[in-house]
Amino acid sequence: MKNPKSFPLLLFLIFGVTSCQTAPSENKTKDNAFIEILDDEALALIDPEAEIEVIGSGFDWTEGPLWLEEQQILLFSDIPPNTLYQIGEDGEPKVFLKPSGYTGTTPRGGEVGSNGLIMDPEGALVLFQHGDRRVAKMRGSINQPVPEFTTLADSYQGKRLNSPNDGVFDRAGNLYFTDPPYGLEGNVDDPARELDFQGVYCLKTNGELVLIDSLNSRPNGIAFSPDETRLLVANSDPKHAVWYQYDVVSPGELTNKRLFFDCTDLVGKEGQKGLPDGMKMHPSGILFASGPGGIWVFNPSGIPIARIFTGEATSNCAFSADKKTLFMTADGYVLRVGLR
């Protein structure tokens, strides 16, 4: 989608990696990526000439980026090979955890690995595990990771979850998460599927699992507004590619579901790979959300103010601790772009 405010990126070489299969080598900016400014409001955070850098490639399908400030590493899921990677200052991807999402002994296909990754209030790694169909906490520490997990949620009213995808904690420690069917081998038609809906849930601090919404066809990314009065949920259905928002009344109680933005008309168009997927909220109230073309940047009113085109189907994003770097997982790539 061309626009007079689009700014193609120049190529230049930086240190880094180009493949998860090889040693570090010279890296470059993504040659088919660029930034589109739709409103000057975006200029407070985004430099239209910022370069979108490739910091890893050659993966199967990357997801769940999570920056760890103390360790100075980026974690991310590579879902089909059931592996969690890290990239540190040396720019070399290393296995952080394997298996990451399926710990069974029966071989199976599909999207088996972990998807979203977040830290709980106590500093433990929480994984949304497609293959094991659960939300789980890693038992080892970040500095000594082990593929051993404690289940936080794996069923609702006696029926197994589909395949938890992404989540977010509120300040009180309640966990909100989405449960689409993507981790099931047969997706929504899988015979092992036990629930007849794709839910949005809240796992309360007392252990109660509350169903918030069962009417979204493919709930995916999830994020709070900075004051936690609103919850936003992406719906990654090509027939209804939208973002919703809810008002938060109390933990597990939401009301006033309404449309935040609808991009269904762009799905499948040239240069518009991808669907509403993972997202992160900037402290300013600006939402960075993956969608057709790359990352959409919305103001609090749901108006797109910029787009970061990655040239790939983009699954998710994450900020560095100082919010001056945005990391993006896009198909087989891991990317980053500097922010103001």
Side-chain angles (χ1 to χ4, degrees):
M1 190 165 67
K2 295 182 178 179
N3 185 292
K5 292 185 179 180
S6 297
F7 298 87
L9 293 174
L10 298 176
L11 294 177
F12 77 109
L13 297 178
I14 62 171
F15 65 89
V17 299
T18 56
S19 172
C20 65
Q21 306 298 329
T22 61
S25 60
E26 285 193 330
N27 192 13
K28 64 177 183 179
T29 56
K30 191 75 165 49
D31 58 5
N32 57 346
F34 61 94
I35 293 173
E36 180 182 48
I37 300 297
L38 303 174
D39 189 287
D40 286 349
E41 183 179 0
L43 296 175
L45 289 179
I46 300 173
D47 179 353
E49 297 184 14
E51 295 154 335
I52 300 170
E53 306 171 17
V54 177
I55 62 172
S57 65
F59 302 96
D60 287 0
W61 176 252
T62 58
E63 253 285 9
L66 173 65
W67 175 254
L68 300 179
E69 178 68 11
E70 182 179 343
Q71 291 77 16
Q72 290 290 295
I73 58 174
L74 180 75
L75 299 183
F76 62 94
S77 302
D78 194 10
I79 299 179
N82 201 13
T83 304
L84 186 61
Y85 285 96
Q86 70 177 57
I87 293 181
E89 293 181 354
D90 61 3
E92 181 180 3
K94 300 173 183 175
V95 173
F96 180 83
L97 200 65
K98 183 179 178 67
S100 64
Y102 179 59
T103 58
T105 57
T106 303
R108 56 151 290 184
E111 303 288 320
V112 297
S114 59
N115 194 310
L117 308 168
I118 59 176
M119 302 298 289
D120 77 4
E122 287 73 44
L125 178 65
V126 173
L127 307 90
F128 298 85
Q129 297 182 312
H130 275 186
D132 283 348
R133 300 170 65 177
R134 64 179 175 175
V135 182
K137 178 172 66 174
M138 185 180 71
R139 292 178 186 165
S141 69
I142 290 296
N143 294 321
Q144 294 181 311
V146 294
E148 298 174 2
F149 308 97
T150 298
T151 299
L152 301 181
D154 64 358
S155 63
Y156 176 70
Q157 295 187 345
K159 295 183 178 181
R160 292 191 69 188
L161 298 175
N162 298 317
S163 55
N165 187 280
D166 205 357
V168 61
F169 282 99
D170 66 13
R171 293 189 186 97
N174 301 290
L175 174 59
Y176 293 73
F177 68 93
T178 57
D179 186 39
Y182 297 132
L184 299 170
E185 282 191 85
N187 206 297
V188 72
D189 298 318
D190 196 293
R193 182 169 172 248
E194 298 181 15
L195 295 167
D196 61 1
F197 58 85
Q198 285 68 242
V200 181
Y201 297 91
C202 175
L203 179 62
K204 299 172 70 172
T205 55
N206 64 5
E208 179 186 5
L209 184 61
V210 178
L211 177 64
I212 292 170
D213 193 345
S214 63
L215 299 180
N216 294 341
S217 54
R218 297 293 185 275
N220 203 309
I222 187 167
F224 279 110
S225 61
D227 61 5
E228 297 188 356
T229 61
R230 295 181 298 122
L231 182 74
L232 295 107
V233 175
N235 193 61
S236 54
D237 185 340
K239 297 180 180 179
H240 190 55
V242 303
W243 293 267
Y244 286 114
Q245 62 180 332
Y246 308 74
D247 292 333
V248 180
V249 178
S250 62
E253 183 181 359
L254 278 69
T255 188
N256 193 23
K257 178 182 178 181
R258 58 204 183 274
L259 189 69
F260 184 72
F261 193 82
D262 187 337
C263 64
T264 309
D265 61 338
L266 292 179
V267 175
K269 300 288 181 65
E270 184 177 357
Q272 306 291 337
K273 295 179 183 177
L275 294 162
D277 203 324
M279 54 184 169
K280 296 297 185 297
M281 181 66 71
H282 190 273
S284 65
I286 301 299
L287 181 69
F288 288 70
S290 55
I295 297 295
W296 291 62
V297 185
F298 295 101
N299 70 13
S301 299
I303 298 172
I305 59 174
R307 294 178 69 189
I308 303 171
F309 286 84
T310 65
E312 311 294 334
T314 303
S315 63
N316 211 333
C317 61
F319 296 112
S320 60
D322 61 8
K323 307 300 186 291
K324 291 185 178 180
T325 302
L326 180 73
F327 299 98
M328 298 166 283
T329 45
D331 201 336
Y333 292 87
V334 181
L335 309 172
R336 71 182 171 198
V337 62
L339 301 176
R340 287 174 167 162

